[in-house]
Amino acid sequence: MLIFEHTAAGRKTKIQAPETDTKISDIPENLMRKTSAPLPEVSEMQAVRHYTSLSQKNFSIDTHFYPLGSCTMKHNPRACNSLAMLPGFLARHPLAPDTCSQGFLACMYELQNMLCEVTGMAGFSLTPMAGAQGEFAGVAMIRAYHDANGDVERKEILIPDAAHGTNPATATMCGYSVKEIPTLENGDVDVAALKAAVGPQTAGLMLTNPSTLGVFERNIEEIAAVIHKAGGLLYYDGANLNAILGKIRPGDMGFDVIHSNLHKTFSTPHGGGGPGSGAIGVSERLKPFMPLPVVTREGDQYRWLTEKDCPQSIGRMSAFMGNAGVLLRAYVYMRLLGREGMQRVAEFATLNANYMMAKLKEKGFQAAIPDRYASHEFIITLKKQAKDLNVTAMDFAKRLLDLGYHAPTTYFPLLVPECLLIEPTESEAKEALDGFIEALVQIQQEAETDPDMLKAAPYTMPVNRLDEVRAARQLDLSWGSSRD
Amino acid sequence: MPFIPHTENEIHDMLSAIGADSIDQLFDEIPAHLKIKGLDGIPPGMTEMDINRLMQDRAAADGRPICFIGAGSYEHHIPSAVWQIATRGEYYTAYTPYQAEASQGTLQLIYEFQSMMTALTAMDVSNASLYDGASGLAEAVLMAVRANRKSKSRRILMPRNLNPVYGKVTHSIVQHQDIELVDVDFDADTGKTNLAALKPYEGEDITALVISQPSFFGTLEDVDALTDWAHANNILVIAVVNPLSLAVLKPPGEWGEQGVDIAVGDGQPLGAPMSSGGPYYGFMCCKKAHVRQMPGRIVGRTVDQQGREGFVLTLQAREQHIRRSKATSNICTNQGLVVTASTIHMSLLGANGLERVAASCHQNTNALVEKLSAINGVDCAMSGPRFHEAVLKLNKPVADVLTALAEKNILGGYDLSQDYAELENCLLVCATEMRTEKDIALYAEALEAALC
C-alpha cells in the first residue's frame, strides 16, 4: 500500500507547521498555484508506521551479511552518525562566516590531511559528492593540466576493460575518447597492449588497483612509467582502496590523481544509494587545479580557499562544499581507527576474502583467478553450473536472499562469465563467513537435485522476481500517472 | 581492534585454511619497496568517549547565530520523526537497490518520492534524485542538449538572476562538451528577466532557456510569458525552482501554454538540515517525451511472477553500468538517504503543512523588509512580488556590516556585491518560518547600530 492510499481529504492532525491561516495576497494570481498539490494527508502515526514497515522490507548491513563486491559494505559505526548530527553541525549555514565556523573547518582541514597521509597525495579536495563526481573532477584536472601546458592534442583516455562503467562515462563527459586496454587471464593489465596503445594522443590512464578482478596489479610501476614517459597522467579509481589501506599508497605507486569513495573505505553509510562522497587527491603538479572550496590554515585560523586564491581551479562541483555531513562521518571514523586501526583494515579485509576463497575452492567452486591471493574481494565463476545444470549466477544470487544473505555483485566485471564478486570486508566475523559458505554449498546441492526450484527463487521475500520488461515498457513511475 | 571481531584463534584457523603463514604473506604481490611502514601523520585512535568530547566541543564552538541567510540553503523546521526514521539501519546501511526483492522498502519509497515530486511540480515524471540543485542544473543542460533535436547550436540562455554558483557549477561540468552558456541580463528595478533582453535571440538556434523561480533575489519571474516565448522559438525550458515555493506558486508543469520541459532544484528545504551545505539532493522532473534522456536512477512499478505489485529500477539502458562511454551521464548513486528523509517530511507536512510553511516564510520576510527598510540608510532595492528573500541596499559596504552583525550573533544575509558589480552595497536577506518577531527586532536594532 502506498502512503497516498492512507490519505483522507480534510484530515488535519498537523503540529509540524506554523499555525497560520493567513493567505498570501500580494503575489499576482497568475503566479500562484490554483489547487493544492496532491500530496499525502496522513497523521504522524500513519506516516511513522508506514515508513517503519517499508524499512523492514530492506536488507541492510545492520540486518544482514552484505558481501557486495566493489561496494565495501563494512560496518557503519553509530558514533559517526550521532556526532555528525550534533545540533551545532546541523544548524550551521554553509555561508556562515569563517569566524563562526572554526570547529567545523578544523574537522575538514584535518580530514584533508589524514586523506593525504593515507593515500600519499599532496593535496585533497573534499567537494565531490560521489565517486562518479570525484572521477569527473579528476579527469577534468588531467585535462586542465594538459591545457595549461598547451598540450592540446591529447584526446584519449586509456581504460582497462575490467574498469567500472563510470570510468568511460566520465572520460566522455570530459570530452575525451576512450581506448580499452585488454586484461590478461592472470588478471594483470596487458602491458604489451598498453605500450602499443600509448602515444602523443594519450591524456592519461584510469586504473583501479587492486582491479575489479580482485587482484593486485603487479606491474604497476612499469605501467606508471609507460604512461608518464608518454606525457600522460595516471588516475587512481579509489573504489578498492580498502584492499590496500595502510599497506601501500596510490601516491607511492606513481598516481597523479585519485578519488576516494568515503562511503566505502571510510565507512560512511550507503543510505540506499547515496549520499556518497568522492573526495579527490592530487600530486604536487595538479594542486593548482583542485576543485573548490578547499580549507587552509593560516596561523591558528582556518578559512576556505576560493577562486581568488586558486585561479587555475577546475571550478565548483556543488553549490556549497559537497556532502559536509558525510565528510564529518568519515572524519569521526578515521579518528576512531587512528593510525593502527587504519593499518588493520586492509589486513583483515584481505584475510576474510582469502579465507572465503580458500573454503569455497575446497567445496568445489571455481575461482576466476585461482592461483593468486585475492585482494579484499574475489570472483567465483558459475559457468560450469550454467552449462551443466542450466542455473545461472542470478539464480544463486536470488536463492541466497532466501537463506538470509544479500547477494554478491553479479555479472560484474563483464569479463568473467556467470560471476559472483564477493567482498566480505574486515568487519565480518568468521562465523558470518562460514554461514555464507554453507549457504552456497546448500544452493549448489539444490542446483544439482532441483534446478527448477532455484529458477523461481526467492520464496521468502515480499515479492519474487519482478517483471522488468513490463516495468520498462509500461512505464508507471508515479502514483499520479497510474491513476490517469 | 576497532570494529574488527577476529580472535587470535580465528586468525590462526583462517590462515591455515588459506595455507599462509601470516597475514603479511597475503600481500606478497605488492613490491616490497613500495610498502609503507606506518602512518605517522594519522593521530592514534580515540575511544568513543574521547571523540564525543572533541566533536561536542567543536560543534559548540561554532555557536548558534540567528540566521537570516538564504541564498540556496534555508533553515526550516524538520519534524522529529523525519531523521529518526530515515536513520533506521534498514535505510541507513542499505546499498543501491540492485537486488529488488531484498530492497522493496527503498524502492517503494523512491516511487513515492517520485510521485510527490511530480505532484509538486505538475510534471509527468521524476527521477530518484541527483546530487544537489546546482549539479542538477548541469545535468538538465546536458539533457536538454540531447532532447532538443531541432537545435544544433548547444547554446543555453542562462539568466543572471539565477543563483550565481549554479552557473559556476554548470560551467564546470558542461564546459568540455562544446556547450555555450549565454548570460541574459535582468532588470535592475525588479530583478526580473524581461522579454526585451531575450529579443535578440528570437529566431536564433538556441537549445534551452533557464528560468529561475523565484530568482536568486527572491523576486518572481513572469514565467508564463518566458515559457511561451521560448517554445515559440523552438527552445526547451528548464525551470530552476525552490520546491517549498511550489506549495503556493504555480508549478512549472503549468507555466505558459505547455508547461516547461525539465524542472530541477534543490530538495534541501524539504527535510534536509543546512548542515554546512550538504548532503542535500537535486531533484529532476521532465515531460514524459524526454524520459529516456533523463539521467540518474528511476524506479517503476511492476508485478512479480505471481502478479503481486512490486518496484524495480527501470530504464537502466540509459546508465553508465550498461552504456559505459555512451551513457547519458556518469552518475551512479543518488542521494538516497536524504530522499528518504524528504519523503517522510513531505508525508508529515502534506500540502496544507507546506502551504503554511511557505506562507509563513513569505510573511516573515515581508515583515523583515518592512522593519529594516525603515532604518536610515536601508532601502528595498527591488520592487514587485517576492517569495521569501529580498534585496536591501545599504549606505555602506555590506561586508563590514555583516562582520558587525556576526559579532552580535546575527548572520545578516548574503553580500551580493561578491557576484554582481552593479549591486554594490546590496544585501540578500531571508526570514523563514523559524524567525520570530523578537529575532527580527534584534536584527533591526543591530543593523541600525552597525550603520550609524
Side-chain angles (χ1 to χ4, degrees):
Chain A
M1 195 164 176
L2 298 170
I3 187 77
F4 294 90
E5 293 163 310
H6 293 289
T7 293
R11 180 175 280 138
K12 286 203 170 72
T13 60
K14 305 295 165 54
I15 55 154
Q16 287 96 350
E19 287 292 335
T20 173
D21 288 329
T22 320
K23 294 278 176 240
I24 295 174
S25 57
D26 56 351
I27 296 178
E29 272 300 303
N30 67 327
L31 297 180
M32 295 292 287
R33 184 164 199 129
K34 289 187 196 72
T35 52
S36 288
L39 292 173
E41 293 293 346
V42 296
S43 71
E44 176 168 316
M45 195 192 75
Q46 286 175 308
V48 167
R49 195 173 282 167
H50 177 77
Y51 288 108
T52 301
S53 65
L54 273 193
S55 79
Q56 291 168 333
K57 295 183 177 179
N58 273 359
F59 275 27
S60 66
I61 305 172
D62 280 7
T63 54
H64 296 81
F65 181 39
Y66 211 122
L68 202 58
S70 243
C71 298
T72 312
M73 302 299 282
K74 63 168 78 176
H75 175 56
N76 300 151
R78 283 280 152 174
C80 302
N81 184 51
S82 58
L83 296 176
M85 295 194 81
L86 286 171
F89 289 129
L90 294 187
R92 187 182 166 274
H93 193 284
L95 301 172
D98 296 344
T99 46
C100 33
S101 309
Q102 291 295 303
F104 171 72
L105 291 176
C107 295
M108 295 299 103
Y109 182 77
E110 290 170 15
L111 177 59
Q112 287 172 187
N113 287 348
M114 287 195 289
L115 286 169
C116 284
E117 171 72 11
V118 83
T119 59
M121 305 309 286
F124 244 91
S125 165
L126 305 173
T127 173
M129 292 176 283
Q133 224 195 16
E135 275 184 37
F136 174 83
V139 178
M141 278 192 276
I142 290 176
R143 183 162 168 160
Y145 172 82
H146 290 312
D147 286 353
N149 291 336
D151 208 353
V152 293
E153 295 306 312
R154 298 185 180 274
K155 305 247 186 248
E156 195 171 87
I157 292 277
L158 305 175
I159 301 177
D161 53 7
H164 293 107
T166 48
N167 288 182
T170 300
T172 303
M173 281 182 85
C174 289
Y176 284 121
S177 60
V178 173
K179 186 180 269 181
E180 283 207 344
I181 305 297
T183 303
L184 300 173
E185 209 140 280
N186 66 13
D188 287 330
V189 167
D190 184 341
V191 176
L194 177 70
K195 284 178 175 163
V198 81
Q201 77 288 356
T202 304
L205 169 74
M206 297 178 84
L207 192 69
T208 311
N209 190 16
S211 72
T212 58
L213 293 163
V215 287
F216 187 81
E217 177 53 62
R218 290 173 289 194
N219 303 313
I220 180 59
E221 289 176 286
E222 188 182 2
I223 291 170
V226 168
I227 297 296
H228 284 151
K229 198 171 159 222
L233 298 183
L234 211 56
Y235 183 95
Y236 182 84
D237 180 326
N240 292 346
L241 184 64
N242 213 54
I244 57 167
L245 195 67
K247 287 285 156 197
I248 178 174
R249 309 188 302 175
D252 299 335
M253 289 188 249
F255 285 95
D256 298 283
V257 51
I258 85 161
H259 86 264
S260 171
N261 301 87
L262 302 187
H263 48 283
K264 297 180 182 176
T265 318
F266 299 104
S267 184
T268 69
H270 284 82
S277 174
I280 188 115
V282 294
S283 60
E284 202 60 52
R285 59 177 160 172
L286 287 180
K287 258 174 116 173
F289 305 103
M290 280 199 291
L292 294 169
V294 174
V295 187
T296 190
R297 184 164 70 181
E298 287 163 354
D300 60 352
Q301 293 294 301
Y302 301 95
R303 76 168 178 94
W304 294 113
L305 291 175
T306 67
E307 286 82 352
K308 281 188 195 125
D309 307 287
C310 313
Q312 287 185 292
S313 162
I314 57 159
R316 289 178 186 264
M317 303 284 115
S318 69
F320 299 107
M321 63 134 320
N323 287 333
V326 176
L327 300 170
L328 282 171
R329 285 170 174 81
Y331 174 76
V332 173
Y333 178 75
M334 291 182 93
R335 294 302 305 266
L336 283 168
L337 257 56
R339 59 171 78 118
E340 317 82 1
M342 212 88 79
Q343 290 201 277
R344 289 192 204 105
V345 167
E347 292 179 359
F348 286 87
T350 303
L351 177 67
N352 277 356
N354 279 284
Y355 172 71
M356 289 183 83
M357 184 167 84
K359 287 299 243 188
L360 285 170
K361 280 190 336 200
E362 190 186 302
K363 306 281 185 192
F365 286 93
Q366 188 184 347
I369 303 177
D371 306 326
R372 296 178 63 180
Y373 284 131
S375 63
H376 66 319
E377 62 187 354
F378 65 98
I379 298 170
I380 293 293
T381 172
L382 300 171
K383 65 179 179 201
K384 193 163 173 301
Q385 286 87 337
K387 184 160 163 276
D388 299 348
L389 307 168
N390 193 32
V391 293
T392 64
M394 188 57 75
D395 298 330
F396 268 72
K398 297 302 183 194
R399 185 64 180 148
L400 273 169
L401 305 177
D402 278 333
L403 302 183
Y405 295 95
H406 194 279
T409 297
T410 49
Y411 300 99
F412 181 84
L414 308 174
L415 302 177
V416 184
E418 297 299 333
C419 67
L420 299 176
L421 177 61
I422 302 172
E423 180 183 4
T425 83
E426 72 278 10
S427 43
E428 292 297 337
K430 178 171 173 291
E431 62 201 70
L433 311 183
D434 288 336
F436 180 83
I437 290 160
E438 284 312 310
L440 275 183
V441 169
Q442 179 188 327
I443 297 170
Q444 174 66 29
Q445 285 161 357
E446 290 170 349
E448 287 163 13
T449 54
D450 190 4
D452 289 343
M453 188 274 282
L454 284 196
K455 292 267 152 216
Y459 297 93
T460 59
M461 298 288 106
V463 290
N464 60 21
R465 289 188 211 190
L466 291 154
D467 188 343
E468 295 191 9
V469 174
R470 173 182 158 136
R473 290 212 177 129
Q474 300 173 37
L475 286 180
D476 174 359
L477 309 179
S478 63
W479 180 67
S481 71
S482 56
R483 276 179 311 156
D484 291 342
Chain B
M1 293 189 280
F3 314 118
I4 294 176
H6 302 61
T7 65
E8 285 302 325
N9 282 342
E10 287 170 336
I11 296 169
H12 177 264
D13 291 349
M14 292 170 81
L15 284 170
S16 357
I18 298 166
D21 299 329
S22 66
I23 292 180
D24 256 356
Q25 199 183 324
L26 304 176
F27 294 90
D28 67 1
E29 289 189 357
I30 297 179
H33 64 278
L34 289 179
K35 283 189 193 163
I36 53 170
K37 303 283 176 295
L39 292 166
D40 296 341
I42 309 271
M46 297 174 86
T47 63
E48 195 169 314
M49 286 91 76
D50 288 339
I51 189 87
N52 276 352
R53 198 168 307 125
L54 174 76
M55 296 303 279
Q56 272 158 3
D57 288 351
R58 286 196 172 162
D62 294 346
R64 292 294 295 276
I66 307 170
C67 185
F68 290 93
I69 317 178
S73 177
Y74 304 95
E75 185 181 356
H76 292 296
H77 174 67
I78 301 170
S80 302
V82 170
W83 283 92
Q84 280 186 21
I85 306 269
T87 52
R88 281 179 65 92
E90 299 93 327
Y91 289 128
Y92 188 75
T93 71
Y95 192 66
T96 300
Y98 286 131
Q99 293 291 338
E101 300 89 339
S103 313
Q104 285 297 299
T106 289
L107 285 163
Q108 181 176 332
L109 184 140
I110 294 173
Y111 179 88
E112 293 180 0
F113 167 77
Q114 290 172 181
S115 305
M116 292 178 195
M117 295 321 292
T118 55
L120 272 177
T121 57
M123 301 292 290
D124 299 331
V125 291
S126 163
N127 72 6
S129 80
L130 302 164
Y131 306 134
D132 75 350
S135 59
L137 175 58
E139 291 286 354
V141 165
L142 294 173
M143 177 178 163
V145 168
R146 293 189 296 269
N148 190 345
R149 297 209 172 82
K150 286 182 195 149
S151 168
K152 299 275 169 276
S153 71
R154 303 168 85 89
R155 292 172 89 193
I156 313 289
L157 300 180
M158 301 274 281
R160 287 186 67 236
N161 65 12
L162 170 75
N163 185 339
V165 80
Y166 278 44
K168 286 183 192 171
V169 171
T170 300
H171 172 75
S172 303
I173 294 175
V174 311
Q175 61 176 321
H176 304 299
Q177 304 197 36
D178 298 322
I179 290 168
E180 189 189 350
L181 303 176
V182 183
D183 279 346
V184 179
D185 238 323
F186 56 87
D187 180 275
D189 295 330
T190 62
K192 296 198 296 190
T193 303
N194 48 31
L195 281 173
L198 293 173
K199 203 84 184 156
Y201 303 105
E202 253 165 46
E204 295 273 309
D205 180 356
I206 300 287
T207 305
L209 166 71
V210 175
I211 303 173
S212 177
Q213 181 79 325
S215 76
F216 188 55
F217 310 129
T219 57
L220 297 178
E221 295 278 23
D222 294 325
V223 288
D224 294 333
L226 292 172
T227 303
D228 287 340
W229 175 85
H231 285 153
N233 288 284
N234 293 321
I235 300 171
L236 293 187
V237 176
I238 301 170
V240 178
V241 286
N242 176 332
L244 174 65
S245 77
L246 298 181
V248 292
L249 297 183
K250 182 183 275 187
E254 294 172 6
W255 294 0
E257 293 290 320
Q258 306 163 33
V260 309
D261 301 280
I262 306 168
V264 292
D266 199 299
Q268 184 271 332
L270 301 176
M274 295 190 289
S275 185
S276 293
Y280 303 163
Y281 68 89
F283 60 87
M284 177 183 271
C285 298
C286 70
K287 285 184 177 164
K288 203 167 187 177
H290 302 314
V291 65
R292 284 184 165 74
Q293 303 302 336
M294 189 150 64
R297 310 278 193 223
I298 301 172
V299 170
R301 181 156 63 167
T302 184
V303 293
D304 77 356
Q305 289 167 340
Q306 296 172 27
R308 290 176 298 194
E309 176 180 287
F311 302 87
V312 289
L313 293 173
T314 192
L315 299 177
Q316 293 194 73
R318 303 161 299 121
E319 294 192 64
Q320 51 76 27
H321 61 284
I322 312 275
R323 299 267 293 167
R324 299 178 76 84
S325 67
K326 293 182 181 62
T328 55
S329 165
N330 76 349
I331 202 160
C332 205
T333 50
N334 50 41
Q335 298 276 105
L337 192 67
V338 196
V339 162
T340 304
S342 196
T343 304
I344 301 169
H345 184 88
M346 286 188 269
S347 305
L348 286 170
L349 282 147
N352 180 259
L354 292 177
E355 284 162 19
R356 282 192 276 149
V357 174
S360 173
C361 293
H362 176 75
Q363 274 169 1
N364 280 354
T365 299
N366 280 351
L368 178 73
V369 170
E370 193 176 327
K371 192 99 179 165
L372 298 184
S373 55
I375 297 169
N376 229 344
V378 183
D379 288 304
C380 183
M382 290 174 185
S383 61
R386 68 173 73 95
F387 176 52
H388 72 351
E389 287 181 271
V391 181
L392 300 174
K393 191 168 175 73
L394 310 183
N395 63 1
K396 58 156 88 167
V398 169
D400 301 342
V401 176
L402 290 179
T403 305
L405 291 170
E407 279 165 17
K408 293 190 174 164
N409 209 30
I410 290 168
L411 302 183
Y414 181 78
D415 179 1
L416 287 166
S417 71
Q418 300 174 83
D419 306 289
Y420 299 93
E422 69 268 50
L423 297 180
E424 206 186 353
N425 297 355
C426 283
L427 173 66
L428 181 68
V429 293
C430 174
T432 67
E433 86 280 11
M434 302 295 280
R435 294 290 72 82
T436 61
E437 263 183 62
K438 193 178 148 212
D439 293 339
I440 292 171
L442 279 172
Y443 187 5
E445 198 179 301
L447 183 62
E448 196 160 13
L451 289 176
C452 67

